[in-house]
Amino acid sequence: MSFLLMNLLQLITYSGTFVFALTGALKAKAFKMDIFGAAVLAFVTAYGGGTVRDLLIGVRPVNWVNDYLALFLVVAAVLMTFLFAGRVHKLRKVIFVTDAIGIGLFTVAGIQVSLQNNLNNIYAIVMGVISATFGGLIADVLSNNVPDLLKRGELYATASLVGGIAYSFLLKNNVDHDIGLTITVIMIVTIRIISKIKRLTLPDI
């Protein structure tokens, strides 16, 4: 991977990180946790998926170790939530969209990291989904709440999976990386928004 693409991958990861950290801090506020609890949930939501991915594919150290920017993004998200809570809650629709964008960005980042570590396309897609969704799952478990990932609701992991498959297909057909990234994120955001508006769900067992 070129130096330019490495920088782009880092930018993708950090952009999604702040959005997910904000989501985790908002969840902590909804459960009436203190600021320490909010920091824990923000960090887990932002970095849990990437940590699970790195542990599974053998990346050492995991992505956030020795990364001061990772810590700063979590702290900034927590402070923003607690200092401007009223304004943040008024922006829930915006946060929903940015969260969907975060899913798209983390899906792409997870696939790229996996391909760099010599995983095949199928498992790279799986790791992309894990990167995008497992942080929220772990945060819900810590909150003693049924994970959103497992609830019957709008498509979440499914959006990541469909986007990941599309992104892998585009890469395999030598589509420009930036174009593939843009298409993937738009696809995931579109699926998330439509599934919420139309209340689309997967079939029950």
Side-chain angles (χ1 to χ4, degrees):
M1 176 178 271
S2 69
F3 178 75
L4 178 60
L5 191 54
M6 287 182 66
N7 283 343
L8 178 60
L9 181 57
Q10 290 172 351
L11 179 61
I12 291 169
T13 302
Y14 287 133
S15 297
T17 293
F18 179 75
V19 172
F20 280 150
L22 187 61
T23 301
L26 283 170
K27 186 173 294 185
K29 192 165 186 66
F31 283 101
K32 302 186 183 303
M33 295 183 182
D34 60 19
I35 196 166
F36 178 78
V40 171
L41 279 199
F43 192 90
V44 167
T45 304
Y47 286 97
T51 299
V52 172
R53 176 202 67 220
D54 287 353
L55 291 175
L56 288 174
I57 65 180
V59 173
R60 298 292 187 279
V62 294
N63 60 94
W64 50 266
V65 172
N66 291 329
D67 188 345
Y68 291 112
L69 182 54
L71 181 62
F72 171 79
L73 290 172
V74 172
V75 172
V78 172
L79 291 178
M80 180 178 174
T81 301
F82 275 79
L83 294 178
F84 307 103
R87 296 179 184 178
V88 170
H89 281 287
K90 292 178 181 178
L91 296 175
R92 280 197 174 276
K93 290 183 179 179
V94 176
I95 292 174
F96 171 80
V97 175
T98 56
D99 181 67
I101 294 172
I103 295 172
L105 295 173
F106 269 36
T107 300
V108 170
I111 291 174
Q112 283 287 352
V113 170
S114 301
L115 292 175
Q116 288 178 33
N117 286 274
N118 301 316
L119 267 69
N120 62 39
N121 286 334
I122 292 177
Y123 279 97
I125 293 170
V126 172
M127 293 302 156
V129 175
I130 288 175
S131 300
T133 63
F134 268 49
L137 185 150
I138 296 171
D140 283 333
V141 171
L142 291 177
S143 304
N144 197 30
N145 187 42
V146 176
D148 290 337
L149 181 63
L150 304 180
K151 289 180 181 177
R152 189 176 188 272
E154 68 266 9
L155 305 181
Y156 189 77
T158 304
S160 173
L161 177 60
V162 172
I165 293 172
Y167 181 68
S168 181
F169 175 81
L170 293 171
L171 287 182
K172 191 173 182 179
N173 286 275
N174 299 316
V175 174
D176 178 78
H177 177 268
D178 291 351
I179 294 176
L181 167 63
T182 303
I183 292 174
T184 301
V185 173
I186 291 175
M187 181 179 296
I188 290 174
V189 172
T190 301
I191 293 173
R192 289 282 289 135
I193 292 175
I194 292 177
S195 70
K196 188 172 185 66
I197 294 175
K198 299 294 185 179
R199 298 185 179 181
L200 301 177
T201 64
L202 295 176
D204 291 337
I205 296 178

